[in-house]
Amino acid sequence: MKTFRKIFLSLLAVTASFALPLHAADPLYKNDFESAEVGKVPSDMMVMAGAFEVKQDKDGKYLELPGEPLDTFGLLFGPAVKDDVSASARFFGTKKGRKMPAFGVSLNGAGGYRLQVSAAKGKLEFFKGVEAEATSGVPYTWASDTWTNLRITVRKDGDKWVIEGRAWAVGSPEPEKPLITLEEKNAPSNGKAGIWGSPFSGTPIKFDDLLVTPLK
């Protein structure tokens, strides 16, 4: 019986291997903060604004932005890229009464495209630049005290550029299709990925599992 079980598991492993991508792209950047020093920001990150620091709890290490002051803060990471790339991270925030945080992930530098959960608006939005107005938005229900994944993709499609955004709760499958899409005729800038947080609820925002991946 044990021999049969071993054969079955071996066949299952072989079958699963054929289901995997044959040429999965290696990440351009990856950071889960497990090797980072607590109380500091990793040296390969460029803080634009905000008192970010690595912290640790029973589940491991993560990057945290304090709950005050109430403004928008961010940092850049990874190589400078232009298009045919995605950036992702996961975020943890908490609401306080009717006050809720906003957080996002970006590509193409500080002035590039940012995918943002604006929890108080109940929207998933695109921003262009740090202080720019939202260019588009779709309804999105955010859950407090849970981890949320965000992924932004910038890809060239003929003579235009398509920016796509996905958001999903940790533990749920990533949406196959983007939840929000934006098309631009002007080429994006060459720049680093970034994470952003606005602790409007007065509570800290956590960041983890930063990733930059080429599309091809």
Side-chain angles (χ1 to χ4, degrees):
M1 189 68 179
K2 290 183 178 179
T3 301
F4 174 78
R5 186 171 182 272
K6 287 182 178 179
I7 294 173
F8 175 75
L9 291 175
S10 297
L11 289 173
L12 188 63
V14 171
T15 302
S17 69
F18 282 108
L20 296 174
L22 295 179
H23 301 287
D26 292 329
L28 299 173
Y29 181 89
K30 184 177 182 180
N31 198 333
D32 62 4
F33 300 104
E34 290 307 312
S35 62
E37 185 176 352
V38 173
K40 296 186 177 182
V41 176
S43 59
D44 62 351
M45 295 182 175
M46 181 187 303
V47 176
M48 306 302 293
F52 292 89
E53 64 175 318
V54 173
K55 292 196 173 183
Q56 184 171 14
D57 59 18
K58 61 181 179 60
D59 297 319
K61 296 180 182 179
Y62 55 88
L63 192 68
E64 184 176 276
L65 176 68
E68 55 181 23
L70 306 183
D71 206 335
T72 298
F73 306 97
L75 59 77
L76 304 180
F77 59 91
V81 291
K82 181 178 179 181
D83 50 29
D84 292 329
V85 68
S86 75
S88 63
R90 60 188 183 105
F91 306 78
F92 185 99
T94 305
K95 71 176 182 179
K96 189 175 182 180
R98 295 184 178 181
K99 297 179 180 179
M100 304 181 191
F103 50 83
V105 61
S106 67
L107 281 169
N108 309 115
Y113 297 101
R114 173 162 38 111
L115 174 68
Q116 176 172 297
V117 169
S118 299
K121 296 180 185 179
K123 284 187 174 184
L124 183 65
E125 300 181 308
F126 277 134
F127 283 74
K128 183 71 166 60
V130 179
E131 301 294 340
E133 293 294 326
T135 55
S136 58
V138 296
Y140 183 79
T141 302
W142 167 77
S144 177
D145 297 298
T146 61
W147 284 97
T148 301
N149 289 306
L150 290 181
R151 183 186 303 280
I152 183 172
T153 299
V154 176
R155 60 182 176 85
K156 195 173 189 305
D157 183 12
D159 60 352
K160 65 179 183 294
W161 282 264
V162 180
I163 301 91
E164 299 173 338
R166 292 173 172 81
W168 68 102
V170 170
S172 300
E174 180 176 354
E176 292 185 6
K177 296 182 179 180
L179 303 182
I180 182 172
T181 303
L182 179 68
E183 292 187 0
E184 293 281 13
K185 292 184 178 180
N186 295 324
S189 301
N190 196 55
K192 294 176 175 287
I195 49 173
W196 307 88
S198 304
F200 296 140
S201 59
T203 57
I205 299 174
K206 301 177 183 179
F207 310 80
D208 204 353
D209 295 333
L210 278 53
L211 189 67
V212 180
T213 310
L215 300 185
K216 55 185 178 180

